Amino acid sequence: MKRARLVIPGGVNSPVRAFRAVGGQPLFIAKAQGANIWDADGNRYLDYVGSWGPMILGHAHPAVVEAAKNAIERGSSFGAPTEGEVRLAELICRRVASVKKVRLVSSGTEACMSAIRLARGFTGRDTILKFEGCYHGHADYLLVKAGSGVATLGLPDSPGVPADFAKHTLTLPFNDVGKLRELFATRGKEIACAIIEPVVGNSGLINPAPGYLEALREVTAESGSLLIFDEVMTGFRLGVSGAQGLFGITPDLTTFGKIIGGGMPMGAYGGREDIMNLIAPEGPVYQAGTLSGNPCAVAAGLATLENLGAPGTYEQLEGICQQLEDGLKRALRDANITGVVQRCGSMYTLFFNDGSAVKNFEDAKKCDHEKFKAYFRLMLERGIYLPPSGYEAAFVSLAHTRDDIDRTIEAAKAALAGIK
Ligand SMILES: *Cc1c(COP(=O)(O)O)cnc(C)c1O
């Protein structure tokens, strides 16, 4: 880490990797297999970070390794179309009904940035709406009340973002229907798009209140604003067609990332055909990328999505995650510590608070992050690697076994007993 700090800011290439909120040094990872990772000193940990979401099949899944190997042997990039890109696009469109056309990019940040440019181009409006504590990548106008690493480090909205850019971004608290209707009643016609994590993962896990996403769909449609579901985290994780399938909401545009690259750099945005047809070269909204649709990333993504499409995968995830949720709740009760376990499918967060539901970013901020820190460290000592921040969701993969979950619950019991 000392060497890393000398040549890389903070020693890390993405701030969430630093252990700033939990203390100590980040683990340097040497290898990973299935649900386990090994640090450079050879210590093994049961992994609940999963590269922050992509590794839903577990690490180094044989089908993904094989696909990526085969692809790189045929050349790592051509800057010309390949059949694999078409297959991946077809697969995404088949699974996610709202997506009629899709453009591949290289990260979730790029997907969100491009989707917003497209929404502005389509509507001819500048103003966008985001929700407090949601993270949509690090584009200038999206670093306003952002969750994830920005929240973890307690940063104000980032320096380097001109006020002129940020002024086009409106924010609302998540899950507040009243404020939502009020804003759209007064300024709806100015708003190009609302971008939202339908299930928030970047303030810790927060589920949408019943009817909230429906209300958002309704007011955006009434105002001629586009609804963008940022499913970079939830896409292909919460079900075959992501959060929109789970809640039965049809957004105009959707952004993807993480899982669709199977651990390789990849993002995508897609949606209604009339909107997507505005993208160059079909239309005038410009967006491009030298490595977009990279053949190795496409191969890894395809292998991942094909494996996820097997019958029973999401049921399996639901089963082990329910076991984990129940166990953690029991562990909290046994240790006489108040808190709440919030979960959607294979994403969850244990919040330390008075036991009431965490409904928005303000609630997440009020949690006891010192207790989280103690819990994180005690879990790490027991070989359980959690996201190093109370503002993040933990991820379970198909490689986690019932024994792994039992071991995690035992570790949590011991860790929670050690807090206070
Ligand atoms: C991770 C994430 C992003 C950003 O994706 P990158 O690939 O890190 O640029 C955007 N939106 C959400 C919801 C995310 O979880």
Side-chain angles (χ1 to χ4, degrees), residues 293-326:
N294 174 268
C296 305
V298 163
L302 264 174
T304 300
L305 295 188
E306 276 162 4
N307 268 273
L308 277 176
T313 45
Y314 293 99
E315 289 79 0
Q316 181 189 331
L317 278 171
E318 183 61 29
I320 54 172
C321 294
Q322 185 68 57
Q323 181 195 349
L324 180 58
E325 179 187 338
D326 294 344

Side-chain angles (χ1 to χ4, degrees), residues 14 51-52 106-112 134-138 148 195-202 230-234 255-258 265-267 347 392 395:
S14 191
S51 186
W52 301 90
S106 300
S107 70
T109 294
E110 214 187 332
C112 294
C134 288
Y135 179 70
H136 306 293
H138 63 85
S148 188
I195 184 166
I196 192 165
E197 292 180 63
V199 174
V200 184
N202 284 295
D230 179 352
E231 298 229 39
V232 170
M233 200 180 261
T234 55
T255 58
F256 299 99
K258 300 196 166 120
M266 168 99 76
M347 296 162 59
E392 302 283 359
F395 298 97

Side-chain angles (χ1 to χ4, degrees), residues 161-215:
V161 177
D164 273 356
F165 293 6
K167 80 174 183 209
H168 294 298
T169 306
L170 305 175
T171 59
L172 280 179
F174 189 76
N175 269 339
D176 187 331
V177 181
K179 287 205 169 116
L180 176 71
R181 291 198 186 279
E182 198 179 296
L183 177 72
F184 272 87
T186 51
R187 302 189 63 181
K189 295 272 189 277
E190 292 168 44
I191 298 173
C193 63
I195 184 166
I196 192 165
E197 292 180 63
V199 174
V200 184
N202 284 295
S203 309
L205 188 119
I206 302 178
N207 276 296
Y212 185 65
L213 296 175
E214 286 80 355

Side-chain angles (χ1 to χ4, degrees), residues 15-23 49 52 147-154 201-205 348-351 369 372-373 375-376 386-394:
V16 295
R17 296 177 196 172
F19 274 25
R20 287 291 163 91
V22 291
V49 178
W52 301 90
S148 188
V150 188
T152 303
L153 297 175
N202 284 295
S203 309
L205 188 119
Y348 81 92
T349 300
L350 196 175
F351 291 102
H369 291 275
F372 177 86
K373 175 179 175 177
Y375 174 66
F376 171 89
L386 296 170
S389 161
Y391 291 104
E392 302 283 359

